[in-house]
Each structure stands twice: as structure tokens, then as C-alpha cells.
Amino acid sequence: ARAGCSGSGQGVLALGVRRGGLVGNVSGGAEMRVGSALSLFANASQTYSEDDRRASANVGVKLVF
């Protein structure tokens, strides 16, 4: 990536990593209402490519007041 500021003769060059050509993403989640003001939730995500694999998960509580 290249960047620069208008009016200045300086630029920025950042080298990155090449990603694979095939990328897949799978995600899902659920939420359960426990009471009128309380619910529990969970979700997960998986991203996969030829060169890279990433996963994440979240679990939490929602409280309405």
C-alpha cells in the first residue's frame, strides 16, 4: 500500500502479506431469553483460506434496565 499527504513530498510504503485465493467464512450464534430483562448469547466465527486460519467466539449476558 502506498500513501502520501497532499503538499508534502513524502510518501508512506507498507508491505503486507499475500492472502490465499480461496477464502471461506462460517459463522453462527444463538440467544436465549432467560427473563423479561435478561438474555444469554453466544456466537462463533471461522475464516479459512489456503494460507491462513482464524477463529473467534463470544459469550455474554444482555441486561435491559
Side-chain angles (χ1 to χ4, degrees):
R2 292 180 185 227
C5 295
S6 179
S8 76
Q10 298 179 346
V12 177
L13 173 64
L15 302 177
V17 178
R18 186 175 171 210
R19 290 194 62 132
L22 177 65
V23 176
N25 187 6
V26 176
S27 62
E31 184 169 345
M32 181 175 71
R33 194 166 196 172
V34 179
S36 62
L38 182 66
S39 62
L40 306 173
F41 70 91
N43 57 49
S45 177
Q46 171 84 28
T47 301
Y48 176 80
S49 71
E50 295 172 359
D51 301 332
D52 191 15
R53 187 178 292 177
R54 298 175 190 203
S56 65
N58 296 313
V59 177
V61 176
K62 292 181 185 178
L63 179 62
V64 179
F65 55 93

